[in-house]
Amino acid sequence: MNIKRLLLFAFVVTTACSSCSKKDIMRPASGGPPDGDSSSAAFNVTVSTIAGKLDDRGNAEDGNGANARFWNPTKMVYDNRNNILYVADGTVIRSIDMQNNVKTYIPLGAIGSSYNEILDMDVAPGTGGTLYIVTKENDLWKIEPNGNVGKATNIVNRVYGGNAVGALNSGDHFDLPNGLATGANGQVYFFNEPWSTIHRITFTSPSTGKVELFAGKALTERGGNGNPYPFRDGRGEEATFGSRVSDMAADGNGNIYVADLDNELVRKVASDGTVSSLFQYKNKIGVDIDGPVATAQSNNVTQVTSNQDGSYIFFTTFGNAANNLSALRLVRPGKDVTTLVGYGYSGNYGDGTGKTAGLGQIGGIASTPDGKTIYISEPGRKVIRKVVLH
């Protein structure tokens, strides 16, 4: 009997320690389920710098990898048609290929004055490779491939802001549109920050169409102090957004994702205008908490992107590190939230694994269709980073 008990004890100890050899697998940083809990995603993550020289500000200088220079890299979009990453760099657009060659796609002056910085952009569905961009002067531009560069066509030219609906160009439709996404059928969605609304453009020709309110209850006064409406999910005007939204993205199914910074959430807007939250709402908690979506929380949400089928929604936050390094996180809708980079363990900026790398201020993110690679722009450090999930 004693021998049997000894053998049983040895078997239990060996089994319990069989997971001890699992190293460098990403687990929730705080508040998440323990290792082995199947409700939580697990990833090997590596972070590298692929373009730009750290802290070296250039004037849109082309080149390979570290030989390239960026001025103010922010919003990005990945075009699976040609495996090109497009980067908004102030008032120009840069392209980065799979060999990390950086080229100027839209040069300085092509979209107007040097103050007309790009606020957001997205690639239209289909094989054409057309980009849409919105700018600081409340313009809408279409960028079409023209050989190795892009041809810029102005669709809406409005310096003054507004929240008007109706025929495209019949009024001031754009007002600090800090979010743009393209729909599955070629629509363009944009977020007017001072009004806390998402509008939709349905085109009837390349330069004409209809603008209509799609989601969000409009503020009664432009540029009011904060948002007087309580937080609410719902359809169309029944839903409310925070007074600051910094990014939008779309998946291939026609769903729109919103980085609702003030409400510290990623919001999903279905094709019928129904708004939902991808994890719980608990305003101003100031900390990232991983785990099931019923308990996960966020320290603000600054940027958002999606893989093709919407099963992986990547977003960035202020993070938990003492020196305020940013975090890259992942929500699997209906399942869980996982921090990929930005645990705050090392507190150091740099490349490495998910638990050792550190991210600077993030200006934009973009995902490949399979969700295995995420690109990050850092306007403060003047570089482009790549995060690979294994």
Side-chain angles (χ1 to χ4, degrees):
M1 181 66 69
N2 290 337
I3 293 177
K4 289 181 179 180
R5 288 178 177 173
L6 180 61
L7 290 174
L8 179 60
F9 175 78
F11 173 80
V12 171
V13 171
T14 302
T15 302
C17 291
S18 63
S19 63
C20 297
S21 62
K22 296 180 180 179
K23 297 179 180 179
D24 299 325
I25 294 181
M26 301 305 298
R27 299 290 181 181
S30 59
D35 288 356
D37 188 332
S38 60
S39 66
S40 175
F43 301 96
N44 289 317
V45 178
T46 57
V47 182
S48 60
T49 301
I50 64 167
K53 185 176 180 181
L54 191 65
D55 297 331
D56 191 339
R57 173 177 171 174
N59 187 22
E61 299 171 28
D62 295 342
N64 178 263
N67 292 320
R69 297 292 181 271
F70 294 93
W71 180 70
N72 187 42
T74 53
K75 303 298 183 174
M76 301 189 297
V77 62
Y78 182 86
D79 187 356
N80 191 48
R81 177 185 61 90
N82 52 14
N83 296 319
I84 294 291
L85 178 70
Y86 294 102
V87 183
D89 192 11
T91 61
V92 307
I93 298 178
R94 321 290 295 283
S95 66
I96 305 177
D97 65 18
M98 294 300 95
Q99 289 73 46
N100 301 330
N101 294 307
V102 180
K103 298 179 180 179
T104 299
Y105 187 65
I106 293 293
L108 186 68
I111 62 168
S113 74
S114 59
Y115 300 101
N116 199 22
E117 292 190 29
I118 298 168
L119 298 180
D120 203 3
M121 64 179 178
D122 200 4
V123 61
T127 60
T130 297
L131 301 175
Y132 287 97
I133 66 173
V134 284
T135 66
K136 195 172 183 179
E137 292 183 352
N138 299 317
D139 293 349
L140 174 67
W141 293 79
K142 180 169 68 174
I143 312 296
E144 297 173 287
N146 185 23
N148 293 323
V149 296
K151 176 185 176 182
T153 301
N154 182 233
I155 298 176
V156 175
N157 182 16
R158 298 282 178 176
V159 174
Y160 300 103
N163 204 46
V165 297
L168 186 64
N169 263 319
S170 63
D172 293 324
H173 309 295
F174 294 90
D175 195 1
L176 287 180
N178 284 335
L180 179 143
T182 57
N185 296 314
Q187 312 96 322
V188 169
Y189 299 85
F190 61 93
F191 189 94
N192 279 336
E193 185 177 273
W195 303 86
S196 296
T197 54
I198 297 177
H199 282 197
R200 177 175 64 191
I201 302 173
T202 304
F203 291 100
T204 54
S205 78
S207 59
T208 62
K210 178 182 179 181
V211 182
E212 56 191 330
L213 179 64
F214 183 61
K217 186 174 178 61
L219 298 181
T220 55
E221 293 184 12
R222 179 185 182 276
N225 295 322
N227 192 329
Y229 305 128
F231 169 84
R232 186 167 60 191
D233 287 335
R235 184 174 179 180
E237 292 186 79
E238 295 176 355
T240 60
F241 293 95
S243 58
R244 291 183 298 167
V245 162
S246 52
D247 197 21
M248 292 204 314
D251 65 21
N253 299 319
N255 299 305
I256 307 299
Y257 301 94
V258 179
D260 192 341
L261 190 147
D262 277 350
N263 286 321
E264 304 185 315
L265 285 170
V266 177
R267 314 286 291 280
K268 175 183 176 180
V269 190
S271 58
D272 66 350
T274 298
V275 181
S276 59
S277 301
L278 295 190
F279 44 89
Q280 72 167 342
Y281 167 74
K282 191 173 182 180
N283 203 12
K284 300 301 179 189
I285 64 167
V287 65
D288 289 339
I289 298 177
D290 288 354
V293 293
T295 58
Q297 299 179 28
S298 178
N299 180 14
N300 293 303
V301 175
T302 57
Q303 310 294 328
V304 65
T305 190
S306 170
N307 69 344
Q308 180 69 14
D309 65 7
S311 59
Y312 282 8
I313 311 301
F314 302 96
F315 65 102
T316 61
T317 75
F318 291 168
N320 291 332
N323 55 358
N324 296 320
L325 293 179
S326 301
L328 173 66
R329 307 180 72 197
L330 163 66
V331 53
R332 300 189 300 169
K335 296 180 181 178
D336 52 34
V337 178
T338 303
T339 299
L340 300 173
V341 187
Y343 275 53
Y345 289 157
S346 65
N348 296 320
Y349 177 88
D351 294 339
T353 67
K355 287 187 178 179
T356 62
L359 303 173
Q361 173 196 359
I362 297 173
I365 59 176
S367 171
T368 55
D370 60 8
K372 294 183 178 180
T373 302
I374 307 95
Y375 296 95
I376 295 173
S377 66
E378 296 184 355
R381 308 308 297 263
K382 314 302 179 188
V383 293
I384 307 299
R385 317 285 294 281
K386 181 170 75 172
V387 180
V388 178
L389 279 61
H390 306 282

